[in-house]
Each structure stands twice: as structure tokens, then as C-alpha cells.
């Protein structure tokens, strides 16, 4: 299903921004279509909002709401000028999660990949940021894997980057970003990382309640069995989208009774599935799978 083709003859840049900041239900399709068709003017206007938000010149609710639409549009348009300010924003604790909400999980890694400007060190600054949101850091790892499989980033240096992360990454304790680090290393079949991964499991950085070392080793075996097919599937399933809004429509405009049967009960998901990070299915207000009794966002989901 593709997005509706809605003409916007009366649309202007200010009207587009107003539509994105509106609290009306439903997606502002005319403004979205206008931005897509007039990116040479709409793109710079949305980049101005992003830069002002990142630079704290305008952190208003209006700017916040505009960025909800601007970030997926920047992904669709492969807007590389967005990557530097976006990386700066991603190194902070909560802004991207606050802007995209639950859209962080299905969209953030695709957005990083879509606006990537070629600076791998900048991407890794998100992954290694001790102040970043764990889900956002995990999304940066997923984007890095996509860039490697797509041959946009060099595979030769991947193992050294992961080795450094296992040795120095914070927090030095249980956190979903460790699970994502280990899962991504397994996805990439980085065999040299296995001893460091075992050490992280022994230290409790990767809680056994979430994923066991045996399951991570099984993930390596899956990757080795048909690495070429595995990499093609990852590229297909995790890359930038050309139309993200049609898929967002269901959760952006809640319908009657929405959510009654959608949220999984605690413990419903089978954690530890090879390759896929099980914590991606945990809401920030759900009980933490480590068994502490705290909410996920206040325990293993905390950034630091």
C-alpha cells in the first residue's frame, strides 16, 4: 500500500510547518506530499528546525512536533545534511525517544541509515555515548550493520570497533545496549568478538534472563551457515524507507479501542531469539526483564 497522492496547490512552507505542528488527528498528507515534491525548499526549512532544536534556540513543542514528520522525510530524501545535527541530538538522553515515541524502534535505525553522510566515527559516537538513550544507541548499531552489509561502510574495521566497545563502552553494567552490541556482532559474524562477549556475559553486562551466551553463539552459527543470504535479508529488512508514513498511519491516529489487544503481557515474548534483540519488544514502562521489579526505563533501559 502506498501513500495517497494528494495535491497541495495552496500549500506553502509556513503552511507545511503549521500542518506538521497541528494537533489534528490523522496524518497531514497534503503537507507531507508538498514536502516530498518541493524538497529543494522544504528540506532547508525542516533542517532549520532541526538545527535550531539541536542548538537549543527553539526547543518548543511546535519544533518537537514538526520534527516528528521531518525526520522520516529526511530519511526518505536521503538528506545527508541532517546526519551531523541528528547525531548530536542522539548523544543526549531522551530527545529522539521523546520526538518519535514508539516510532524509535521501527524507524530510528532506518533514519540513521538514510541520512548517513559517510562519517562512521560520528555514527559510533552515538553508539558509545554514555548519555544516549539505550534504544537510540541500539538503533545506531543496527544502522551500522546495514551500512556494512550494504558496503557503504568498510567491513575490515568492524571487528576493531566492536572490540573497543566491549572494552570501554558505558555503562559498565546491565543495559539493553550491551544486548544490542552482542546481537549485532553475532549478526555480522565477528568471531574475534566471542571472547569479549563471553566476558561481558560473565560480568552480567548481558543478563542471562534476557539472552544467554549459548543463544548468541547459535546466532553466529546461523550467520556462518549462509552469510551471503543472511546479509541480503538484513539489507532488505532494515534499510531506509521511501514511504514510512503509510506504515505510521495506524499508530499515529489511534482508532476506537486501539491498544486493547496489542500490548504483550509481561513475559509473553520469548527473549533470547538469535540475532534479534529481544529488548526491542519491551516498552519503556514495562517491567524490566532482569527481574528487578523496576520499570524498564528506570533499570536496564536507563542510559546511564
Amino acid at each position: 500500500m502506498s501513500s495517497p497522492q494528494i495535491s497541495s496547490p495552496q500549500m506553502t512552507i509556513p503552511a507545511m510547518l503549521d500542518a506538521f505542528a497541528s494537533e489534528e488527528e490523522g496524518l497531514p498528507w497534503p503537507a507531507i506530499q508538498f514536502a516530498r515534491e518541493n524538497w529543494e525548499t522544504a528540506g532547508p526549512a525542516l533542517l532549520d528546525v532541526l538545527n535550531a532544536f539541536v542548538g537549543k534556540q527553539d526547543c518548543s513543542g511546535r519544533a518537537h512536533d514538526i520534527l516528528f514528520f521531518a525526520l522520516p522525510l529526511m530519511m526518505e530524501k536521503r538528506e545527508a545534511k541532517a546526519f551531523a545535527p541528528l547525531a548530536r541530538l542522539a548523544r543526549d538522553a531522551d530527545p529522539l525517544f521523546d520526538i518519535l515515541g514508539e516510532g524509535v524502534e521501527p524507524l530510528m535505525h532506518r533514519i540513521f541509515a538514510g541520512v548517513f553522510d559517510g562519517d562512521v566515527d560520528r555514527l559510533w559516537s552515538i553508539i558509545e555515548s554514555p548519555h544516549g538513550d539505550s534504544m537510540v544507541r541500539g538503533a545506531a548499531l543496527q544502522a551500522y550493520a546495514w551500512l556494512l552489509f550494504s558496503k557503504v561502510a568498510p567491513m575490515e574495521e568492524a571487528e576493531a570497533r566492536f572490540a573497543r566497545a566491549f572494552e570501554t563502552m558505558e555503562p559498565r553494567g546491565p543495559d539493553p545496549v550491551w544486548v544490542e552490541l552482542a546481537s549485532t556482532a553475532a549478526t555480522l559474524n565477528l568471531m574475534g568478538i566471542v571472547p569479549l562477549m563471553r566476558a561481558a556475559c560473565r560480568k552480567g553486562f548481558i543478563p542471562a534472563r534476557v539472552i544467554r551466551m549459548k543463544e548468541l553463539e547459535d546466532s553466529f552459527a546461523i550467520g556462518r551457515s549462509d552469510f551471503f543470504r543472511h546479509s541480503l535479508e538484513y539489507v532488505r529488512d532494515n534499510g531506509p524507507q521511501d514511504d514510512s508514513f503509510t506504515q505510521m498511519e495506524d499508530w499515529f491516529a489511534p482508532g476506537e479501542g486501539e491498544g486493547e489487544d496489542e500490548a504483550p503481557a509481561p513475559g509473553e515474548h520469548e527473549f533470547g531469539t538469535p540475532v534479534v534483540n529481544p529488548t526491542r519488544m519491551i516498552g519503556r514502562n514495562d517491567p524490566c526483564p532482569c527481574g528487578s521489579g523496576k520499570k524498564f526505563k528506570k533499570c536496564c533501559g536507563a542510559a546511564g
Side-chain angles (χ1 to χ4, degrees):
M1 178 180 177
S2 60
S3 60
Q5 297 300 306
I6 301 174
S7 61
S8 49
Q10 305 304 317
M11 189 66 63
T12 62
I13 294 298
M16 176 194 74
L17 296 175
D18 287 343
F20 288 162
S22 171
E23 295 182 1
E24 294 182 8
E25 287 190 3
L27 290 169
W29 282 114
I32 291 168
Q33 195 67 20
F34 174 83
R36 286 170 168 169
E37 294 173 354
N38 300 274
W39 192 250
E40 67 282 357
T41 53
L46 295 173
L47 280 169
D48 285 346
V49 175
L50 175 61
N51 283 313
F53 191 91
V54 172
K56 304 190 185 305
Q57 288 91 31
D58 182 3
C59 297
S60 64
R62 174 182 169 83
H64 183 284
D65 293 342
I66 291 171
L67 289 175
F68 177 86
F69 298 98
L71 297 181
L73 281 165
M74 290 171 181
M75 168 190 65
E76 290 183 9
K77 294 297 182 179
R78 310 300 192 263
E79 183 53 77
K81 292 179 182 177
F83 189 62
L86 187 61
R88 183 177 167 191
L89 193 64
R91 292 193 290 268
D92 290 337
D94 293 319
L96 284 177
F97 193 94
D98 290 342
I99 290 168
L100 291 175
E102 295 303 323
V104 163
E105 190 276 327
L107 275 179
M108 199 65 247
H109 65 296
R110 298 179 186 274
I111 292 173
F112 284 142
V115 302
F116 181 65
D117 65 357
D119 191 335
V120 179
D121 288 338
R122 181 173 284 144
L123 181 63
W124 269 87
S125 75
I126 302 170
I127 296 164
E128 296 179 326
S129 172
H131 306 296
D133 182 277
S134 296
M135 292 185 182
V136 172
R137 296 170 73 187
L141 277 161
Q142 295 172 62
Y144 181 61
W146 185 86
L147 292 166
L148 291 174
F149 283 140
S150 301
K151 305 187 187 306
V152 177
M155 184 69 82
E156 308 82 61
E157 63 183 37
E159 192 162 297
R161 287 184 180 276
F162 275 82
R164 182 183 69 190
F166 271 99
E167 294 287 357
T168 65
M169 193 171 70
E170 297 181 18
R172 307 302 289 176
D175 189 280
V177 74
W178 284 101
V179 180
E180 190 67 64
L181 187 72
S183 297
T184 306
T187 297
L188 295 169
N189 200 34
L190 302 178
M191 293 302 299
I193 300 301
V194 172
L196 296 172
M197 194 180 297
R198 290 195 180 114
C201 287
R202 287 195 301 270
K203 293 173 183 176
F205 296 174
I206 304 170
R209 284 189 178 92
V210 178
I211 189 166
R212 293 178 173 84
M213 186 63 207
K214 175 63 168 61
E215 293 166 319
L216 289 168
E217 290 174 340
D218 288 345
S219 299
F220 278 97
I222 291 171
R224 285 195 304 275
S225 65
D226 192 347
F227 189 73
F228 180 72
R229 179 184 61 80
H230 174 64
S231 63
L232 289 180
E233 288 177 352
Y234 195 95
V235 170
R236 180 196 66 202
D237 296 339
N238 293 278
Q241 295 170 313
D242 294 323
D243 178 9
S244 57
F245 292 104
T246 298
Q247 298 178 35
M248 292 163 63
E249 200 164 21
D250 290 339
W251 53 268
F252 177 71
E256 185 176 346
E258 182 183 9
E260 292 177 0
D261 298 317
E262 294 179 3
E268 179 180 328
H269 294 288
E270 183 180 347
F271 297 123
T273 303
V275 178
V276 179
N277 177 5
T279 61
R280 294 176 196 160
M281 301 302 295
I282 303 169
R284 284 164 67 86
N285 290 310
D286 289 342
C288 188
C290 75
S292 67
K294 300 178 182 179
K295 289 184 178 181
F296 179 67
K297 68 181 180 181
K298 295 295 185 182
C299 189
C300 291

